[in-house]
Amino acid sequence: MGKRNWFYRQLFSYMPAFLIVISFIFFVFFQMLGDQSRKEAVKANETLMLQAMSSIDSSLKTIEQMLMTELLNNPDLSTFYKSGTENDYYLNIRIVKFMNNFRNSYPLVDSIYLVRSSDGFVLSNATSSSLEDYPDAPFIKPYIEQAKKDEGWSGVRQFEEFSIKGPKRVVSLALKAPFLKTGQGFLVVNVTANGLSQLIESMYSRDVSYIHIIDKSGADVLPNGKSEQERSIVSSAISPVTGWDYQSGLINGKWVDVASQLYNVWFILGIVMIAAGGLWIVYAARKNYKPIERIVTQVQKLSQTKAAALMQGSGQDEFTFLQSAINQMLEQSNTYQRQFREDLHVKKAYLFQQLVEGQHLPKSEEWEALRDTMQLNDLDMPQVVCVVEIDKFASFCSQFTQEDQYLMKFALKSVIQETAQEHGGIVWTEWISGDGLGVLVQIEETDDLRGRVTDMLDHARRWVQERLKLTVTVGAGAAARFPADIPESYAQAQQALKYKMVLGSNRIIFYDSLAKEDQGAMFDYFQLVHSIAQSFRLGKPDWKDKYGQLIQGIGQHLLSRDHIVSLADYLIYSIGREMGKMTKEYQELWEETGHRPLQQALHASDTFEQVEESFMKTLERCYEQLLQIQVTRNHSDTIRKVRETMEREFANPDLSLDFLSERFDLPSKTLSKLFKEETGQKFVDYLIELRVGRARTLLENTDHAVQEIAEEVGYLNVISFGRMFKKIVGLSPGEYREHITRTERDSAAL
């Protein structure tokens, strides 16, 4: 064997690079010891920030959940929004007491106030006024006018209820009143920024670290303790509850920066060493590659003439391997091209979504470049946005498999495109939801909008009905002459589809042909619904006539799906509330045969006729069972008469169980038991409730002496009357009258 000069030359040529890398590893080893300490400090700071964020989020979320619970369960709040008035002083006093108790229970809460949409009345824990005169009107008005949707906790802002106290930095939460989707008012709670600061200040030392909270508008929620130059941001996170940006770091973080810079110096030095080693390797490799390069050149020449002969050999040499590599590269290139075409469809669908929603309005130059690649519409021409919605989509999903659904959707999209080509039109179709196909129709300036859209899409609608055995409804917006008008046309198309429930499915609905909704009739509908619920509970057959009046009224006014759903929800709620006043047997009947079937029917119905038919059948079935229960309960009618007698003769001092048992020929114990079963209240409690309620009215509206009022409501002993009144109300009759007088005087002064 000859000398191995080339081997040793290769070995020693790479030795300097080896020494450089080993030196860098030693430097990195010692630097990592210091860097580990810095990472531990960063981790501890991040844990502190997350604990602070969790504490604030938990407190704010608890306040929000408790307020929602009160809105759902507190009858005073429900009465305030539904039927309260500015002069309902006792109701307002109870609500103020609730707000004060809530503030005492949650010290973070600075103030609470309620806003009623019907009359613009504002009631806070400290005052009351009209919305126009209330200092915080600019904050709540956008919610009342629906210019601003429910956004959860606001950013930090200035709240000044009384000028003598000065403004406070608070964060606020506006909660919409329940039951109706349009809302009856709002409840606003304010939490002070200083309270949030005190909540977390015990978690860290201000001399060592800081926590910085930035709201969505970029304002600082907590007061700054140090200047910005002395801060070093280490960790940050976005709160999932409030959306605030929490930032934390170290005070006097310049020393940390110095350490980081020192680390960067070592790192740069290492990069330089690696670069030097790399350059040396390149130099050595190029120098050592020259002999091999000559061989490779000869191999390339040989591969052009001898490749076939070499491939026929049983052994795999370098040329065979090289050919395999080239084939693999070609196959990979073809795969990339197929992937590019698939990605192009996804990008096109995403661009359509952005265009109709107004998120992306490209410039004309950009759009022309995209048109050549994706075959898009010419936005210099007028466009009409349509939405093709599959009718009875729930049934469609349950009837067909995923593969069949995909094929039928593909067929629907294809037939619209082919129909447009047959009519000489240009359309762009993309699925925007599970049951909705967006269609962008390009029209000429001289085209008849309705005729053009009808010709193209109605042919496709009839084809789908005949061939695919399903129906679709099309909503069409107005013509968009500029790209910026396309989102409005899209919104109009979606709005037109909301009238499918009234106008019917399997048709084309043009937005500009819809009449304006009669918003003023909604209040009359709510009153009629309340009357239906009362008649239904009392077993009066006239509820059917009232239901017919409701259906007839809705048929005369063109209401959208949202309004019809709101009325249906309110009917279900009203009957449920009335049935809740009866015994458990009636409540269970309503829950099983009324409430659940009605909710299911509402969600499963696509048209108003389906809602009407399903509701009528369900209510009739529930009403018949209600009457059967009343027939089987022998004493139901007797207890009703007993209640009527008590409501009429509660002022009679001799009114008692014995008195009523003689009149209705029932033993007193039996009467007491039946009364409790039918009404859910004891006889004595119900009688006290009637008498105290009448006494309150007399104390509020007359100047009669307490002795006279006690006799008028059935108490011969004024002491017994005062003791019972204070037990129920919490104040003696005299104190209650003084409280009412003082409240009226304060309200008049305001």
Side-chain angles (χ1 to χ4, degrees):
M1 178 180 274
K3 295 183 179 179
R4 304 175 65 182
N5 293 334
W6 188 80
F7 170 78
Y8 291 110
R9 187 173 63 180
Q10 286 278 91
L11 179 63
F12 289 108
S13 64
Y14 292 106
M15 189 59 68
F18 172 77
L19 295 176
I20 290 174
V21 173
I22 292 299
S23 300
F24 176 67
I25 291 175
F26 274 98
F27 288 131
V28 169
F29 173 77
F30 290 103
Q31 181 61 30
M32 286 182 62
L33 295 178
D35 186 55
Q36 185 64 30
S37 299
R38 186 179 67 86
K39 290 182 179 179
E40 291 295 332
V42 170
K43 184 175 181 181
N45 191 268
E46 182 178 5
T47 302
L48 164 66
M49 180 200 65
L50 293 176
Q51 288 179 346
M53 181 175 68
S54 175
S55 178
I56 292 178
D57 286 355
S58 176
S59 299
L60 295 181
K61 193 171 183 180
T62 299
I63 292 173
E64 181 179 356
Q65 290 177 345
M66 292 306 299
L67 286 175
M68 289 297 297
T69 301
E70 290 293 337
L71 282 173
L72 292 173
N73 300 323
N74 193 321
D76 292 335
L77 294 179
S78 177
T79 303
F80 176 85
Y81 287 113
K82 178 175 177 58
S83 59
T85 63
E86 183 177 352
N87 298 324
D88 197 348
Y89 302 115
Y90 185 69
L91 173 63
N92 296 340
I93 290 171
R94 294 200 306 272
I95 293 177
V96 170
K97 183 177 180 181
F98 152 73
M99 289 189 287
N100 289 330
N101 291 337
F102 191 89
R103 290 181 59 207
N104 294 334
S105 300
Y106 301 93
L108 284 178
V109 176
D110 175 71
S111 59
I112 308 175
Y113 66 88
L114 281 67
V115 182
R116 188 167 51 230
S117 302
S118 59
D119 58 357
F121 180 63
V122 179
L123 178 64
S124 73
N125 57 293
T127 184
S128 63
S129 68
S130 65
L131 180 60
E132 297 297 330
D133 298 332
Y134 194 63
D136 206 29
F139 171 76
I140 194 62
K141 272 189 175 181
Y143 291 93
I144 298 296
E145 299 169 355
Q146 298 186 358
K148 182 186 291 186
K149 303 298 182 182
D150 298 344
E151 298 178 350
W153 287 94
S154 71
V156 66
R157 65 187 187 93
Q158 297 291 337
F159 173 74
E160 183 178 9
E161 190 170 29
F162 301 101
S163 57
I164 190 173
K165 293 184 177 180
K168 295 181 179 179
R169 298 174 76 251
V170 299
V171 295
S172 305
L173 174 66
L175 295 175
K176 183 168 67 176
F179 308 137
L180 292 180
K181 291 189 175 181
T182 54
Q184 297 171 319
F186 286 83
L187 184 150
V188 179
V189 58
N190 298 314
V191 174
T192 61
N194 289 334
L196 297 178
S197 177
Q198 294 174 3
L199 181 64
I200 64 173
E201 66 179 359
S202 62
M203 298 181 180
Y204 66 99
S205 174
R206 293 180 178 270
D207 296 329
V208 177
S209 59
Y210 77 94
I211 294 179
H212 199 192
I213 304 178
I214 306 299
D215 62 22
K216 296 178 181 178
S217 63
D220 195 348
V221 177
L222 302 181
N224 294 333
K226 296 289 183 179
S227 64
E228 293 291 334
Q229 292 77 5
E230 296 176 324
R231 292 182 173 180
S232 175
I233 298 177
V234 174
S235 304
S236 64
I238 302 298
S239 168
V241 176
T242 61
W244 297 343
D245 185 7
Y246 284 71
Q247 300 176 355
S248 66
L250 305 175
I251 301 299
N252 296 325
K254 58 185 180 180
W255 299 110
V256 177
D257 294 338
V258 170
S260 299
Q261 292 297 328
L262 186 59
Y263 172 80
N264 294 334
V265 169
W266 285 110
F267 183 80
I268 294 173
L269 181 59
I271 294 297
V272 171
M273 296 173 67
I274 291 177
L279 292 174
W280 181 264
I281 291 174
V282 171
Y283 169 77
R286 288 180 63 86
K287 183 178 180 181
N288 297 329
Y289 183 72
K290 288 181 180 180
I292 302 175
E293 187 175 16
R294 290 192 294 267
I295 298 175
V296 171
T297 303
Q298 295 177 359
V299 169
Q300 290 177 344
K301 293 180 180 179
L302 181 63
S303 64
Q304 296 176 0
T305 58
K306 301 294 184 179
L310 289 172
M311 291 298 294
Q312 292 176 0
S314 58
Q316 184 175 359
D317 54 13
E318 296 83 359
F319 301 102
T320 306
F321 176 79
L322 182 60
Q323 185 64 41
S324 300
I326 293 174
N327 291 336
Q328 187 176 8
M329 291 176 60
L330 291 174
E331 183 180 354
Q332 190 174 22
S333 177
N334 294 332
T335 302
Y336 287 156
Q337 291 180 0
R338 290 194 300 269
Q339 185 67 38
F340 174 77
R341 288 192 293 270
E342 294 175 359
D343 292 344
L344 196 62
H345 290 293
V346 176
K347 292 178 181 178
K348 187 176 180 181
Y350 180 67
L351 181 61
F352 183 90
Q353 192 79 24
Q354 287 185 313
L355 184 64
V356 298
E357 293 181 356
Q359 299 177 0
H360 177 67
L361 297 176
K363 298 180 180 179
S364 58
E365 301 82 5
E366 298 177 354
W367 189 260
E368 290 299 326
L370 292 173
R371 282 186 61 197
D372 297 337
T373 306
M374 300 184 180
Q375 299 179 352
L376 306 178
N377 293 20
D378 184 3
L379 294 187
D380 292 334
M381 303 289 292
Q383 311 287 326
V384 176
V385 182
C386 302
V387 178
V388 181
E389 185 176 83
I390 299 175
D391 298 329
K392 300 180 180 179
F393 186 66
S395 175
F396 171 78
C397 294
S398 61
Q399 184 178 358
F400 301 101
T401 63
Q402 284 290 118
E403 293 77 8
D404 292 340
Q405 293 177 32
Y406 176 79
L407 291 175
M408 297 181 77
K409 288 183 178 181
F410 177 78
L412 173 60
K413 183 176 179 179
S414 300
V415 73
I416 291 176
Q417 293 173 340
E418 294 175 0
T419 303
Q421 293 177 359
E422 293 175 359
H423 288 77
I426 298 176
V427 296
W428 180 9
T429 58
E430 297 291 346
W431 285 100
I432 56 178
S433 63
D435 61 343
L437 177 66
V439 181
L440 190 63
V441 183
Q442 179 176 315
I443 61 175
E444 301 289 341
E445 287 285 353
T446 58
D447 283 348
D448 175 32
L449 166 63
R450 182 165 302 183
R452 185 66 176 273
V453 174
T454 302
D455 290 344
M456 286 191 296
L457 296 183
D458 195 57
H459 176 79
R461 179 189 63 80
R462 286 185 277 106
W463 188 93
V464 169
Q465 183 179 8
E466 295 172 1
R467 307 292 177 84
L468 302 182
K469 305 304 179 183
L470 60 88
T471 61
V472 295
T473 303
V474 183
R481 304 190 180 278
F482 303 97
D485 298 332
I486 291 178
E488 182 178 357
S489 179
Y490 173 64
Q492 291 173 353
Q494 288 185 316
Q495 183 66 21
L497 282 175
K498 293 184 178 180
Y499 291 84
K500 180 176 72 172
M501 178 171 282
V502 176
L503 298 177
S505 57
N506 194 23
R507 60 181 300 165
I508 300 177
I509 305 174
F510 291 89
Y511 177 80
D512 54 6
S513 66
L514 298 173
K516 298 298 182 181
E517 298 179 5
D518 187 0
Q519 303 290 346
M522 291 300 294
F523 179 77
D524 296 334
Y525 292 148
F526 292 145
Q527 297 296 322
L528 186 56
V529 166
H530 183 66
S531 179
I532 292 172
Q534 288 183 329
S535 297
F536 189 90
R537 177 181 67 87
L538 296 175
K540 297 180 179 179
D542 64 344
W543 71 269
K544 295 183 180 180
D545 296 334
K546 296 176 182 177
Y547 181 80
Q549 295 176 14
L550 177 65
I551 298 302
Q552 183 180 5
I554 295 176
Q556 293 176 353
H557 298 89
L558 190 60
L559 300 184
S560 68
R561 178 181 180 88
D562 293 340
H563 285 94
I564 295 175
V565 171
S566 295
L567 283 174
D569 282 335
Y570 187 66
L571 176 62
I572 296 172
Y573 160 74
S574 298
I575 298 179
R577 184 181 59 181
E578 292 295 328
M579 297 295 287
K581 299 177 181 179
M582 304 180 71
T583 61
K584 184 178 181 181
E585 186 176 2
Y586 293 101
Q587 295 176 17
E588 292 177 350
L589 168 66
W590 168 250
E591 184 65 26
E592 294 296 330
T593 63
H595 182 268
R596 293 178 183 174
L598 289 177
Q599 288 287 358
Q600 295 173 357
L602 180 60
H603 293 151
S605 300
D606 288 334
T607 63
F608 177 63
E609 289 77 9
Q610 293 174 347
V611 175
E612 173 191 356
E613 182 180 359
S614 300
F615 269 51
M616 190 62 184
K617 289 181 179 179
T618 302
L619 290 175
E620 286 181 340
R621 183 166 56 253
C622 183
Y623 180 73
E624 291 174 359
Q625 296 184 23
L626 185 146
L627 294 180
Q628 292 176 2
I629 292 177
Q630 291 181 349
V631 171
T632 57
R633 297 177 68 90
N634 298 327
H635 300 287
S636 178
D637 186 63
T638 301
I639 297 304
R640 180 180 58 80
K641 293 179 180 179
V642 169
R643 291 178 61 182
E644 293 175 353
T645 302
M646 294 177 65
E647 293 170 0
R648 186 174 57 252
E649 301 184 19
F650 67 87
N652 183 0
D654 296 329
L655 183 63
S656 63
L657 274 174
D658 294 336
F659 176 85
L660 293 173
S661 65
E662 293 179 2
R663 174 172 295 189
F664 292 96
D665 194 22
L666 282 174
S668 59
K669 291 185 178 180
T670 302
L671 179 60
S672 176
K673 180 181 179 181
L674 293 174
F675 190 90
K676 178 66 181 299
E677 290 178 353
E678 291 292 327
T679 65
Q681 283 183 291
K682 294 181 180 179
F683 168 81
V684 175
D685 294 338
Y686 188 73
L687 179 60
I688 292 174
E689 181 180 302
L690 292 173
R691 289 176 172 176
V692 171
R694 176 59 179 169
R696 285 182 177 178
T697 303
L698 294 174
L699 288 169
E700 294 172 2
N701 302 320
T702 69
D703 57 356
H704 295 173
V706 175
Q707 176 68 40
E708 297 177 2
I709 293 176
E711 294 176 356
E712 287 187 40
V713 298
Y715 286 94
L716 299 178
N717 190 329
V718 68
I719 297 177
S720 299
F721 166 69
R723 186 185 305 113
M724 188 59 63
F725 188 92
K726 187 170 184 179
K727 179 180 178 181
I728 301 300
V729 180
L731 298 172
S732 67
E735 292 172 344
Y736 180 76
R737 173 171 280 174
E738 291 178 0
H739 180 71
I740 294 299
T741 303
R742 183 168 59 254
T743 303
E744 293 176 350
R745 184 171 58 252
D746 294 342
S747 300
L750 293 174

